[in-house]
Amino acid sequence: MQTSIPNILVVDDTKTNIDILLELLSDEYEIVVASDGESALEIVDEMSIDLILLDIVMPVMDGFEVCKILKNSPKTSQIPVLFITAKTDETSLEKAYEVGGADYVTKPFKARELKVRIKNQLELKSLIYNLEERVKEEVNKVTQAQELLLQNSRMAQMGEMISMIAHQWRQPLNAISAITINLVTKLSLGKYDFNNEEDVLACQEKFTQSSQKIDIYIQNLSSTIDDFRNFFKPDKEMRTLPVRSAISKALHIIEASLASDNIKVIQNSADDKSIEMYDSELMQVFLNLFKNAQDTLKEERIKEPKITIITQNTQEGLTVEVIDNGGGVAEKDMAHIFDPYFSTKSEKTGTGLGLYMSKTIINTHHKGNISVRNTKDGACFTITLKNRI
């Protein structure tokens, strides 16, 4: 929550530009100045920065590279970056959003417009923070209210689900923002002469193409909401489906989070046959295994982290192996790994219910089996499922 005057970092190698921004913003904000990318990165590492105004064309390290480094660091990835540049070409605009920029202002800028954009970004950052805090509070309330272990296990995963969905939404939301900013920029720069029929047709075609792209991104967002809703909906209907459908749904939820941690997912799957299943429950099992592997790989700081999924058909049904290269399960924990409230994680991140509920879903609900063993590189969880429950 923003309780003090926001700190804004201005990064520009031209003193005149810095002086203009200082005069414009110093009355409302604490301004910190860096004349190059390396200095900017040192500043954000040493002090709290609420927003960065970043030039693109600078010696040694340009603004795109600075922004990319900021967004790849957990410590600085949430700081909004507003590009201020003389570059008006569409390629630069698109690249700015690709590397994680929150907004794009061209020089010469209008003072009032720049102030509004800065205010909007700071308010959005505060809103996201407050929303995250509110979500944490609500998740805690709901989790504490559950009486059944299955419900308790699912609600305990809600915070992780929201984090995964936030990763999943970031790219399409940034893409929609880039498309709309691009359209507004073209219009404001007078790129189209509406007294010229060719320009009118070109404008119509551009808007049609952009609206189609936005529609695709919106469908992607809607699909994520459906996955979230289905995950928490009690699953009472048995279906006959390929097991890859449950695997794919789980990966769709967590894939952006895995990608942000540079975790490679390798799938070596047979053309698996359809079996009887409760698909959202099975999705919960796979999501739990993927998330556990992710946490282990992060905690152990594996250099080339990966999760391998192997599906093999059998006469009675099929097997699915989820393998990581995180070092494996300690021998003293192996006999208790599926016990309720047993966790190898810290109290803050582990409920001790995930693997217990996974075993209940596989062994009791699906009449199958789940087991764990160590490989030379990590842990291997094996799920055995029957053709018919």
Side-chain angles (χ1 to χ4, degrees):
M1 186 174 182
Q2 196 72 52
T3 57
S4 58
I5 298 175
N7 293 324
I8 294 181
L9 172 61
V10 175
V11 188
D12 199 308
D13 62 328
T14 303
K15 185 177 183 303
T16 303
N17 294 337
I18 293 175
D19 290 341
I20 291 173
L21 291 170
L22 282 171
E23 182 177 354
L24 180 64
L25 303 174
S26 293
D27 290 343
E28 300 178 56
Y29 306 106
E30 292 289 342
I31 305 299
V32 184
V33 173
S35 59
D36 57 70
E38 292 182 354
S39 300
L41 295 175
E42 291 176 1
I43 289 172
V44 296
D45 187 54
E46 295 172 358
M47 66 180 294
S48 176
I49 296 296
D50 297 291
L51 183 139
I52 298 173
L53 301 180
L54 182 61
D55 189 21
I56 291 178
V57 181
M58 295 184 294
V60 184
M61 184 185 302
D62 67 18
F64 295 137
E65 184 63 24
V66 174
C67 186
K68 190 174 181 180
I69 293 172
L70 290 169
K71 295 304 173 180
N72 284 334
S73 168
K75 183 178 180 180
T76 58
S77 62
Q78 300 304 314
I79 303 175
V81 176
L82 194 158
F83 283 98
I84 301 184
T85 177
K87 296 176 75 66
T88 60
D89 60 289
E90 189 171 330
T91 300
S92 296
L93 176 66
E94 291 177 354
K95 188 171 182 180
Y97 286 106
E98 286 175 1
V99 297
D103 205 347
Y104 191 96
V105 176
T106 56
K107 303 172 185 176
F109 54 80
K110 296 179 181 178
R112 183 176 179 182
E113 178 186 355
L114 178 61
K115 284 188 172 184
V116 169
R117 293 197 179 197
I118 290 173
K119 181 181 178 182
N120 287 345
Q121 289 299 326
L122 290 172
E123 288 180 349
L124 180 60
K125 182 186 177 188
S126 178
L127 178 63
I128 291 173
Y129 176 85
N130 291 335
L131 180 60
E132 289 175 347
E133 291 300 305
R134 179 67 183 273
V135 167
K136 291 177 184 177
E137 292 175 7
E138 294 303 316
V139 170
N140 288 335
K141 288 179 183 178
V142 174
T143 302
Q144 293 168 5
Q146 303 309 305
E147 295 180 358
L148 302 176
L149 282 178
L150 180 57
Q151 292 171 319
N152 196 6
S153 176
R154 286 186 172 187
M155 299 315 296
Q157 289 181 322
M158 184 179 285
E160 294 175 350
M161 285 284 293
I162 291 172
S163 176
M164 296 172 196
I165 288 173
H167 278 286
Q168 198 76 358
W169 277 26
R170 185 171 291 121
Q171 190 274 334
L173 286 176
N174 282 344
I176 291 172
S177 176
I179 291 170
T180 55
I181 290 293
N182 184 25
L183 293 175
V184 171
T185 301
K186 282 183 173 294
L187 291 175
S188 63
L189 294 176
K191 295 291 186 179
Y192 299 109
D193 180 3
F194 291 103
N195 293 319
N196 183 292
E197 185 176 351
E198 288 186 2
D199 275 14
V200 171
L201 291 174
C203 181
Q204 290 175 342
E205 182 179 359
K206 181 69 175 177
F207 270 75
T208 299
Q209 292 174 349
S210 298
S211 64
Q212 290 172 345
K213 290 181 181 179
I214 290 174
D215 184 59
I216 292 172
Y217 290 126
I218 290 174
Q219 289 179 29
N220 180 276
L221 297 176
S222 178
S223 172
T224 307
I225 293 173
D226 289 340
D227 289 340
F228 182 80
R229 182 187 62 195
N230 292 335
F231 183 85
F232 289 101
K233 182 175 66 176
D235 196 352
K236 298 180 181 179
E237 182 182 352
M238 184 190 303
R239 299 172 183 169
T240 301
L241 296 168
V243 73
R244 67 174 176 271
S245 66
I247 296 173
S248 296
K249 288 179 180 178
L251 284 175
H252 181 67
I253 292 170
I254 199 174
E255 62 185 359
S257 179
L258 294 176
S260 70
D261 290 329
N262 296 315
I263 297 175
K264 186 178 181 180
V265 176
I266 302 170
Q267 294 193 65
N268 183 6
S269 301
D271 187 13
D272 58 301
K273 53 190 170 184
S274 295
I275 61 171
E276 291 182 349
M277 68 173 73
Y278 298 101
D279 59 329
S280 70
E281 284 194 352
L282 205 54
M283 179 177 71
Q284 180 186 359
V285 172
F286 289 124
L287 185 62
N288 183 61
L289 294 180
F290 299 155
K291 187 66 176 68
N292 284 351
Q294 178 186 25
D295 291 343
T296 298
L297 294 167
K298 289 174 65 177
E299 288 174 9
E300 298 299 325
R301 299 183 179 181
I302 303 301
K303 289 185 178 180
E304 296 181 3
K306 62 181 179 180
I307 299 172
T308 304
I309 306 163
I310 301 175
T311 305
Q312 292 181 320
N313 293 332
T314 66
Q315 187 174 352
E316 296 77 21
L318 53 82
T319 63
V320 181
E321 291 183 327
V322 178
I323 309 166
D324 65 58
N325 61 336
V329 180
E331 287 299 324
K332 65 181 179 65
D333 297 332
M334 195 71 79
H336 306 286
I337 197 86
F338 294 106
D339 291 350
Y341 301 108
F342 179 83
S343 177
T344 59
K345 303 178 184 179
S346 66
E347 292 183 2
K348 292 183 179 180
T349 59
T351 65
L353 291 173
L355 287 176
Y356 171 73
M357 290 315 306
S358 294
K359 184 173 182 178
T360 299
I361 290 170
I362 297 298
N363 290 32
T364 304
H365 298 185
H366 288 81
K367 312 300 181 185
N369 184 64
I370 182 170
S371 61
V372 63
R373 60 182 173 85
N374 283 331
T375 67
K376 65 175 183 178
D377 295 321
C380 172
F381 285 84
T382 302
I383 297 172
T384 303
L385 297 169
K386 296 181 178 181
N387 292 323
R388 298 177 64 85
I389 298 176

